[in-house]
Amino acid sequence: MRLNTAITRTEESILSTNKVLKNTYLLLSMTLLFSAMTAWASMYFNLPHPGMILTMVGYFGLLFLTTKFSDRALGLVFVFALTGFMGLTLGPIINMYTHAFSNGNELVMTALGGTGAIFLGLSGYALTTRKDFSFMSGFLMVGILVAFLAGLGAVLFSIPALSLAVSAMFILLMSGMILFQTSEIIHGGETNYILATVSLYVSIYNLFLSLLQILGVFGGDD
């Protein structure tokens, strides 16, 4: 009897994990598409970048609302609001690269392809090996905080070398976040697909921007 109960619980856990994983990737695909649409609209209408302060207020405000309502249907509305807003902030940055460099379109497509390859490769690795990357949690949180503060310093004090170093740090940290978050879903550490989607989306967003900045420095043609 106890053995049957244990087997039943294991099966239920596997089904629950698969459901979270399926819902996460479905929602992630939809939010990435929506974000691409808002980025395109921002580029088409040549909208100006809202600036660092407004971007941070909008991002953290919508992130707070998404987290607060993550267990309700309203959470889906805020997920799309957050990713749509981030797409709007991305459009002017892409426009800047396409106009500042003669090979700007190539840089953007290379960064996009690199982001996709890294995400698919790391997600596939985590899914196939089913390794537990929960041990990375503390390191990633501290690393992201340090990189964030360093990034602010690079912007405020106009230090190009520091900005480049921060981009490199973010590539490593976001890659780690993809492994960590995928592992959390697989092993039942993350059961809310809305929160899992937001975490993966932010990782992909930052990964793309960081790759684009590094490519612009080393591969951009004026």
Side-chain angles (χ1 to χ4, degrees), residues 54-73:
L54 186 56
T55 298
M56 298 302 292
V57 170
Y59 169 71
F60 284 111
L62 289 170
L63 181 62
F64 170 78
L65 291 172
T66 301
T67 304
K68 181 177 177 61
F69 296 100
S70 60
D71 57 346
R72 308 179 199 176

Side-chain angles (χ1 to χ4, degrees), residues 2-191:
R2 290 180 179 178
L3 180 59
N4 291 336
T5 301
I7 293 175
T8 301
R9 288 177 178 174
T10 301
E11 291 176 346
E12 290 176 350
S13 177
I14 293 173
L15 289 174
S16 177
T17 297
N18 290 339
K19 183 179 179 181
V20 173
L21 194 63
K22 178 182 177 181
N23 288 340
T24 296
Y25 282 114
L26 177 60
L27 183 58
L28 180 63
S29 300
M30 295 171 65
T31 53
L32 287 173
L33 178 60
F34 183 65
S35 186
M37 291 171 60
T38 58
W40 175 85
S42 180
M43 294 172 63
Y44 181 80
F45 292 106
N46 200 26
L47 298 179
H49 193 275
M52 184 175 66
I53 295 177
L54 186 56
T55 298
M56 298 302 292
V57 170
Y59 169 71
F60 284 111
L62 289 170
L63 181 62
F64 170 78
L65 291 172
T66 301
T67 304
K68 181 177 177 61
F69 296 100
S70 60
D71 57 346
R72 308 179 199 176
L74 189 58
L76 291 171
V77 175
F78 288 119
V79 165
F80 282 98
L82 172 62
T83 55
F85 173 75
M86 296 309 290
L88 287 174
T89 66
L90 187 61
I93 297 175
I94 296 177
N95 259 347
M96 184 270 290
Y97 274 88
T98 57
H99 288 90
F101 301 103
S102 59
N103 62 336
N105 290 328
E106 181 183 339
L107 294 177
V108 172
M109 294 307 297
T110 301
L112 187 62
T115 301
I118 291 173
F119 174 74
L120 292 175
L122 293 176
S123 296
Y125 178 76
L127 289 169
T128 53
T129 63
R130 303 187 71 84
K131 288 186 177 180
D132 187 356
F133 291 97
S134 59
F135 65 90
M136 299 174 65
S137 176
F139 167 77
L140 289 172
M141 293 303 104
V142 173
I144 289 172
L145 178 60
V146 171
F148 175 74
L149 293 175
L152 287 179
V155 172
L156 293 175
F157 300 104
S158 300
I159 308 176
L162 179 58
S163 180
L164 188 62
V166 169
S167 293
M169 288 176 63
F170 263 108
I171 290 176
L172 294 175
L173 290 168
M174 294 305 104
S175 297
M177 280 297 296
I178 292 171
L179 284 174
F180 170 75
Q181 189 60 56
T182 305
S183 172
E184 285 291 280
I185 298 172
I186 294 172
H187 296 95
E190 180 59 82
T191 58

